Amino acid sequence: AQSVTQLGSHVSVSEGALVLLRCNYSSSVPPYLFWYVQYPNQGLQLLLKYTSAATLVKGINGFEAEFKKSETSFHLTKPSAHMSDAAEYFCAVSGDGGFKTIFGAGTRLFVKA
Amino acid sequence: EAGVVQSPRYKIIEKKQPVAFWCNPISGHNTLYWYLQNLGQGPELLIRYENEEAVDDSQLPKDRFSAERLKGVDSTLKIQPAELGDSAVYLCASSRTGGAGTDTQYFGPGTRLTVL
């Protein structure tokens, strides 16, 4: 079985500050992990994904995430927040063998001027 | 390259009425997904197609929901009759193949359904 827990339904940061969105997963098989972003009234867009290669994954818009097996975590970070980063962020887990993708409940990021 | 297209974008209906959503995936994508997204929640899979075959419909409430993907391209999701609790956003996504867990899913903008 697989599951995803996103800590914090809302995160607020100042423009230029570090962004840290937390994600912990549970998986009975080697996991593949994803971060998606959703802007208002739009579908989800892939930010980055971990597929068992490098543990530090770089994505679009300056985001990156690190896979830590010992902590079962895949936290998303960005060194300096921009107003345009305000959106909903979803962490997701899947696996080989027909496992479906399981999404977390999402974290809404607010960026203050 | 055109993205995943969904229509309508918004739908308001009375309870007990039927409703249908349409999705056209990215050209060449064999796998099509329908997700339900409730307010403040992540997407939850309703059904997954590999070409014309529904390979995972375990979460589809079959008493009122049905789906089809004729010719393995576009797809329709239907609810009949709709209930108040069906108010949500219905997302369609596609990927090249669903067999690999690493496959990226591309999402459409969704259909926001309101049942009165």
Side-chain angles (χ1 to χ4, degrees), chain A residues 4-112:
Chain A
V4 173
T5 301
Q6 291 186 240
L7 301 176
S9 59
H10 297 83
V11 170
S12 181
V13 302
S14 297
E15 193 173 21
L18 171 72
V19 176
L20 171 61
L21 304 182
R22 301 178 187 274
C23 172
N24 287 89
Y25 70 91
S26 172
S27 178
S28 56
V29 298
Y32 301 126
L33 295 156
F34 306 78
W35 275 101
Y36 284 85
V37 61
Q38 186 177 31
Y39 297 101
N41 297 317
Q42 296 186 27
L44 282 69
Q45 176 186 0
L46 183 71
L47 275 178
L48 50 81
K49 64 180 178 182
Y50 166 75
T51 59
S52 75
T55 56
L56 181 61
V57 182
K58 295 187 183 298
I60 62 172
N61 301 339
F63 285 93
E64 63 181 36
E66 185 172 9
F67 172 68
K68 292 186 176 180
K69 184 178 180 180
S70 61
E71 298 177 8
T72 60
S73 69
F74 191 58
H75 301 331
L76 181 70
T77 61
K78 181 175 181 177
S80 178
H82 191 272
M83 296 296 288
S84 61
D85 295 326
E88 186 98 24
Y89 292 80
F90 294 93
C91 182
V93 62
S94 74
D96 278 335
F99 283 89
K100 64 185 178 184
T101 303
I102 303 297
F103 289 84
T107 297
R108 182 165 294 279
L109 176 66
F110 297 92
V111 182
K112 300 174 292 185

Side-chain angles (χ1 to χ4, degrees), chain B residues 51-64:
Chain B
N51 298 305
E52 298 96 347
E53 183 182 1
V55 297
D56 184 353
D57 63 355
S58 58
Q59 300 303 310
L60 189 72
K62 298 181 182 65
D63 57 335
R64 297 184 300 107

Side-chain angles (χ1 to χ4, degrees), chain B residues 44-114:
Chain B
E44 299 172 32
L45 183 69
L46 288 172
I47 189 168
R48 175 168 67 97
Y49 282 93
E50 293 292 340
N51 298 305
E52 298 96 347
E53 183 182 1
V55 297
D56 184 353
D57 63 355
S58 58
Q59 300 303 310
L60 189 72
K62 298 181 182 65
D63 57 335
R64 297 184 300 107
F65 285 66
S66 64
E68 61 182 11
R69 191 185 184 195
L70 301 176
K71 301 181 181 179
V73 182
D74 55 354
S75 176
T76 302
L77 177 69
K78 298 178 181 178
I79 308 174
Q80 182 170 14
E83 297 179 352
L84 295 177
D86 296 332
S87 296
V89 175
Y90 293 81
L91 294 167
C92 180
S94 69
S95 65
R96 292 192 182 280
T97 171
T102 59
D103 216 26
T104 296
Q105 296 181 38
Y106 295 84
F107 285 80
T111 297
R112 182 177 296 276
L113 174 67
T114 301

